Amino acid sequence: MSRVLELESISKRFGSVAALESVSFDLVLGEVHGLLGENGAGKSTLMHVAFGMIAADAGRVIVRGVPTRFRSPRDAKRLGVGMVHQHFTSVPEMTVAENLWLAAGRYGAEAGRRSDSSTVTTAGSRLRRRLWEGLAPNDIVSSLPVGAKQRLEILQALAVGGDILLLDEPTAVLAPQETSELLALLRDFANGGGAVVLITHKLTEVFSIVDRVTVLRAGRVQSTGPVAGQTVSGLTAAMVGTADREPTVETSDSLGPVLARVDGLAVRGREVVGVAAIEGNGQRDLLRRMAGVLPAAGAEVIEPVAFIPEDRSTEGLIPALSLTENWVLGLAGDARWRRGPLLDWRAAEARMDQVLGEYSIRAGGPQAPAGTLSGGNQQKLIFARALEAAPRVIVAENPTRGLDVHATWFVQERLRRAAAAGAAVVVYSSDLDEVLSLATRLVVISRRRVLQVPPGASREAIGAMMIGATS
Amino acid sequence: MSVLVRLRTPVVASVLGLAILALGLSALGYDAFSALTALARGAIGSWYAFTSATLVRAVPLIVIGLGIAISFRAGGLNIGAEGQFSAGAMAATAVGLVVGRWPGFVAIPVVLIAGTLAGAAWVVVPVVLRLRYRVQEVISTLLLNFVAEALVSFMVQGPLQESKRTYPQSDPIAVAARLPLLPGTRLHLGFALAVLLAGLVGIVFSRTIWGFRLKVVGAAPRAAEVTGRMDVDRTTALALLWSGAFAGLAGALEVAGVTYALFLNLSPGYGFTAIAVALIARLNPIGILFAGLGFGALEAGAAGMQRDAGVPAVAVSVVQATIIVVALLAVARARLARPEAAA
């Protein structure tokens, strides 16, 4: 067993968030190594370090026994490391061959050409020949089916010729048939002397082709070892954490009437419904339909509805505009400053000034641009604005993402209080801990379907519902 | 921002532009001093020059500039004001030729409304292309300028050609449709309308929900949609139509107040100069009023310079270009200096 890629004690911080904390990882020739974890666990960050896209704050990258410093992916490619990213990187308007030339840069001599099938020796070229099935050099990429595009991505990753392949959720966009074909190709690549890292959410993939599996959670390695002997519940527990605190799933008999109903999700007054889901299962669309941000046929929602978007600086606020303008952005109909078509900016500014005090928002005054506020203060402003209209329904999307402990507490407290006062609250968070600590009732959204989590369900059971291991 | 700070950039830009013009003229062997004196005389040398040259030229720049400000504020890049101006001029001429029996207080509004509607109509195709097929209005409005030019050419040699059929121009419009003039000058009522519109647009921008919507949609369409619950497409489309309407009105004012007839090259590039006017004023309506006056003075002075000092009028583009570049640099610097959002 020769180690081709070793990551030693890699640490990486983004601002105040530790994405990776002393993570070690190794890859040997001939294996498919699964990398599991929730959203934000650090899987992609770790592979970006291995591919030279991100420089680690601490730790070493060792390729084939030689410590290296990657300044860019170009260095990684030169040493035979290729990566397939979460999103397609090919240029849709160009041909297959042109994309391969692009990917190869100045190292690729044989890129863009079908490799000669008569002298297949290495794993790379054998894989390449199978990847070419159904592709022609002159095909325009935008005309290709999704599976062919994904095969092109792999060809691009191997365009320089390499035997280490890092794949970031390569099957997320594929149909079941395409998925099994791709997995078979990867297995064959590894058997022929290559090495593969497969980032995935799907446990079925892990059990079908992976040799060893490493589980990351909150930037740390939870477990690593051969997949043989592992169980679904064991891996799920490693992903979502052991049950140090029982889920607060409970039914209350003092619930109010149903205030919002859309696509099989009904929410009553005085309850906080936590939505647990893995990214890309349709939970965002569902929440936005409930909040009236996206059109929803057949939705029954009692106004007023408040929506807290995850992305504060592009959807919740306009950084270049003043606090008062941002205040009016979400409260344009308020009779205190709106008279027909006219806006009374003084009245709005006076109220904004009061709110800064009431919510202890640290700002240079109502005229300050919203972009000058810290993330926590921006979120306080968004909450103050959302609660100003006394909403009957509150829909929040990752409301504490990127916030420090104090601001997180503030946000969760406000949501609880709003529910206690009779509002229907729906919170989606990619952090299962947050969902569990906030929610009075839990639902899982998997493949666009709303699944009710039975009261008292274990963390493992919830995790299994999220990844679709049970149906 | 205090008035002095606001004025700093345009003043610095104008002085710099004139200095570059003087240097260039000297290098080419012209008498720079007499050229600049002729420029000043042509623009503000007399009451007649000021009213009949500078102010008359400022009218289309201000009116078109206000429309540009509306569309740019909402993120709609209408650069086809030249074509919309022509569309307005054509409609005003067509109507102006047939309203001779009506009293002036009816004929004039009808002519101006015809021009306004025609200007807005000239933006309908770009708006539909944008809404349905996401075609960039920068391209579609620009290309329609050439269509408008060809259409004017067709009109003055076809349906709207003078009854003598000699020159490619229309007959003069009915006297009833002509704008009243300030006695002793060629300054027409359109100037008062331009000032009024600047004040009106200023109020719309700063005090109404519609002005706020324009700003938000232009600054952050995602936030406008998600948090402001605004219809971004509709807002931008309306802004584009209004900007066309303003340019069309400017075309009608030019026919009803200055030329009284339609001919080719009615506009010496007002539709493009007005974009510079709007940008220098940072889309502020009162600023557009003054920037329009400044550029009007340059255009008027350029004619004087050519007449009195033999310097080609196009030389004054050097000054205009310098002002535009300096103003854009100032905007860019202000943007860089602004503290960015802490993500």
Side-chain angles (χ1 to χ4, degrees):
Chain A
M1 284 220 308
S2 67
R3 292 180 172 179
V4 284
L5 176 67
E6 292 164 79
L7 303 171
E8 273 187 12
S9 313
I10 301 284
S11 293
K12 177 71 191 175
R13 301 182 72 82
F14 293 112
S16 60
V17 182
L20 295 172
E21 285 182 86
S22 194
V23 171
S24 294
F25 177 88
D26 68 277
L27 181 68
V28 299
L29 276 186
E31 80 166 340
V32 176
H33 195 140
L35 191 53
L36 272 178
E38 287 189 296
N39 295 313
K43 309 179 299 280
S44 294
T45 308
L46 185 66
M47 285 306 110
H48 288 168
V49 169
F51 190 52
M53 287 171 71
I54 293 178
D57 297 335
R60 292 202 301 170
V61 178
I62 302 166
V63 179
R64 285 177 249 279
V66 184
T68 45
R69 287 189 67 83
F70 290 152
R71 277 159 304 171
S72 74
R74 192 190 282 173
D75 295 343
K77 286 185 198 171
R78 189 160 41 198
L79 290 177
V81 182
M83 180 151 185
V84 173
H85 300 275
Q86 226 168 345
H87 307 285
F88 288 150
T89 59
S90 52
V91 184
E93 293 80 11
M94 300 201 324
T95 65
V96 168
E98 283 165 339
N99 270 293
L100 288 172
W101 281 320
L102 256 188
R106 54 190 163 124
Y107 302 115
E110 60 169 324
R113 255 178 278 141
R114 274 172 193 274
S115 56
D116 188 346
S117 55
S118 60
T119 55
V120 175
T121 47
T122 67
S125 54
R126 191 168 69 201
L127 172 66
R128 209 168 288 146
R129 199 190 62 207
R130 287 184 54 188
L131 286 168
W132 269 108
E133 281 164 21
L135 286 177
N138 291 327
D139 287 343
I140 300 290
V141 170
S142 60
S143 69
L144 295 173
V146 178
K149 280 183 190 159
Q150 188 60 281
R151 292 208 303 279
L152 172 61
E153 292 291 323
I154 300 172
L155 279 169
Q156 285 174 211
L158 296 172
V160 189
D163 51 7
I164 303 173
L165 199 49
L166 318 175
L167 300 104
D168 196 348
E169 295 186 41
T171 60
V173 293
L174 299 184
Q177 175 65 17
E178 292 169 326
T179 299
S180 52
E181 277 173 22
L182 182 74
L183 294 179
L185 282 175
L186 295 177
R187 183 67 262 170
D188 194 46
F189 176 70
N191 291 347
V196 176
V197 178
L198 180 68
I199 296 181
T200 183
H201 283 311
K202 300 177 187 166
L203 288 180
T204 48
E205 291 176 7
V206 172
F207 287 104
S208 66
I209 70 154
V210 163
D211 300 301
R212 282 196 299 157
V213 60
T214 294
V215 180
L216 285 183
R217 178 164 132 83
R220 292 172 182 278
V221 175
Q222 289 300 311
S223 71
T224 186
V227 78
Q230 302 263 18
T231 61
V232 170
S233 60
L235 286 177
T236 309
M239 269 169 75
V240 298
T242 48
D244 50 354
R245 185 171 46 191
E246 277 308 305
T248 57
V249 176
E250 58 192 36
T251 47
S252 167
D253 49 13
S254 66
L255 290 180
V258 171
L259 296 178
R261 186 197 305 275
V262 65
D263 293 357
L265 178 60
V267 191
R268 293 171 168 274
R270 282 198 283 280
E271 71 172 341
V272 179
V273 172
V275 175
I278 289 166
E279 204 58 62
N281 277 279
Q283 67 272 29
R284 285 169 193 273
D285 281 4
L286 186 126
L287 261 61
R288 281 167 184 243
R289 283 203 299 278
M290 178 173 276
V293 175
L294 289 178
E300 298 162 39
V301 180
I302 310 288
E303 299 280 340
V305 186
F307 180 59
I308 316 279
E310 172 178 338
D311 195 330
R312 285 187 285 276
S313 58
T314 66
E315 296 193 332
L317 294 172
I318 305 178
L321 300 194
S322 74
L323 297 185
T324 307
E325 285 172 310
N326 274 292
W327 178 256
V328 172
L329 173 64
L331 294 164
D334 195 307
R336 281 172 292 176
W337 39 82
R338 173 80 177 270
R339 284 177 196 92
L342 294 181
L343 283 172
D344 181 351
W345 285 105
R346 277 196 200 165
E349 186 169 317
R351 179 62 192 138
M352 182 74 258
D353 204 30
Q354 283 178 343
V355 168
L356 293 184
E358 284 169 22
Y359 284 77
S360 357
I361 297 171
R362 292 169 60 102
Q367 297 279 3
T372 58
L373 268 58
S374 72
N377 281 306
Q378 289 184 354
Q379 193 68 320
K380 279 186 182 178
L381 173 64
I382 290 174
F383 265 78
R385 189 178 62 194
L387 298 174
E388 182 79 0
R392 304 293 306 280
V393 179
I394 300 173
V395 180
E397 204 179 68
N398 267 324
T400 62
R401 172 162 286 186
L403 299 186
D404 60 23
V405 178
H406 182 76
T408 299
W409 178 85
F410 169 89
V411 162
Q412 297 187 342
E413 196 52 33
R414 287 287 164 169
L415 289 173
R416 282 199 194 94
R417 269 200 247 167
V425 178
V426 184
V427 183
Y428 160 64
S429 172
S430 43
D431 176 0
L432 188 57
D433 285 328
E434 175 165 67
V435 178
L436 289 174
S437 71
L438 261 177
T440 59
R441 179 163 70 90
L442 261 186
V443 299
V444 161
I445 298 181
S446 177
R447 297 188 199 118
R448 307 200 159 263
R449 276 172 46 227
V450 178
L451 310 172
Q452 304 296 333
V453 176
S458 70
R459 211 174 255 272
E460 291 74 19
I462 297 167
M465 287 172 82
M466 286 166 72
I467 50 184
T470 61
S471 54
Chain B
M1 243 190 322
S2 79
V3 176
L4 272 180
V5 175
R6 281 192 204 196
L7 282 177
R8 194 175 60 197
T9 304
V11 168
V12 168
S14 311
V15 171
L16 195 66
L18 290 169
I20 292 176
L21 175 66
L23 280 175
L25 289 177
S26 306
L28 289 169
Y30 290 101
D31 180 350
F33 180 76
S34 68
L36 289 186
T37 318
L39 180 90
R41 253 201 326 272
I44 50 172
S46 63
W47 173 244
Y48 184 81
F50 179 62
T51 53
S52 306
T54 294
L55 293 189
V56 165
R57 283 176 168 81
V59 171
L61 295 178
I62 293 167
V63 175
I64 299 172
L66 292 171
I68 302 265
I70 293 174
S71 81
F72 277 33
R73 198 172 151 101
L77 297 179
N78 174 18
I79 58 170
E82 190 76 3
Q84 294 138 25
F85 178 95
S86 297
M90 279 185 274
T93 307
V95 174
L97 288 171
V98 299
V99 292
R101 287 157 179 273
W102 299 359
F105 66 86
V106 180
I108 290 172
V110 167
V111 165
L112 296 186
I113 288 169
T116 307
L117 291 177
W122 207 249
V123 196
V124 166
V125 169
V127 164
V128 170
L129 287 177
R130 181 189 156 106
L131 293 183
R132 291 218 108 178
Y133 305 107
R134 299 281 147 199
V135 173
Q136 304 260 323
E137 71 281 355
V138 171
I139 295 164
S140 53
T141 53
L142 177 70
L143 290 178
L144 276 173
N145 286 340
F146 302 109
V147 178
E149 195 183 321
L151 192 59
V152 172
S153 172
F154 166 74
M155 284 295 174
V156 294
Q157 293 172 69
L160 289 179
Q161 193 177 14
E162 57 176 0
S163 16
K164 283 184 292 180
R165 303 264 157 204
T166 316
Y167 296 107
Q169 62 183 32
S170 74
D171 279 327
I173 59 170
V175 176
R178 298 181 192 177
L179 294 172
L181 298 180
L182 186 68
T185 70
R186 291 173 50 213
L187 183 63
H188 55 85
L189 194 65
F191 181 71
L193 190 62
V195 174
L196 191 74
L197 284 174
L200 210 61
V201 174
I203 288 171
V204 167
F205 278 8
S206 61
R207 304 218 178 283
T208 69
I209 184 71
W210 200 66
F212 182 59
R213 267 188 213 135
L214 290 179
K215 183 175 185 175
V216 168
V217 162
R222 294 284 306 141
E225 220 166 78
V226 173
T227 298
R229 308 288 167 99
M230 296 172 189
D231 188 334
V232 171
D233 278 345
R234 192 184 133 91
T235 306
T236 317
L238 275 175
L240 286 169
L241 290 172
W242 274 107
S243 73
F246 273 68
L249 173 64
L253 289 173
E254 196 70 2
V255 168
V258 183
T259 65
Y260 305 142
L262 182 70
F263 44 83
L264 274 174
N265 304 324
L266 192 71
S267 153
Y270 286 138
F272 296 110
T273 310
I275 295 175
V277 165
L279 288 179
I280 287 168
R282 296 194 192 179
L283 311 184
N284 175 320
I286 304 304
I288 287 170
L289 191 60
F290 287 101
L293 288 175
F295 271 62
L298 280 175
E299 301 257 340
M305 196 166 68
Q306 178 156 18
R307 194 173 56 235
D308 299 346
V311 176
V314 289
V316 90
S317 331
V318 172
V319 186
Q320 296 182 344
T322 310
I323 293 175
I324 293 167
V325 169
V326 171
L328 292 179
L329 285 177
V331 171
R333 206 182 65 157
R335 200 167 285 163
L336 285 179
R338 188 184 298 148
E340 274 306 321

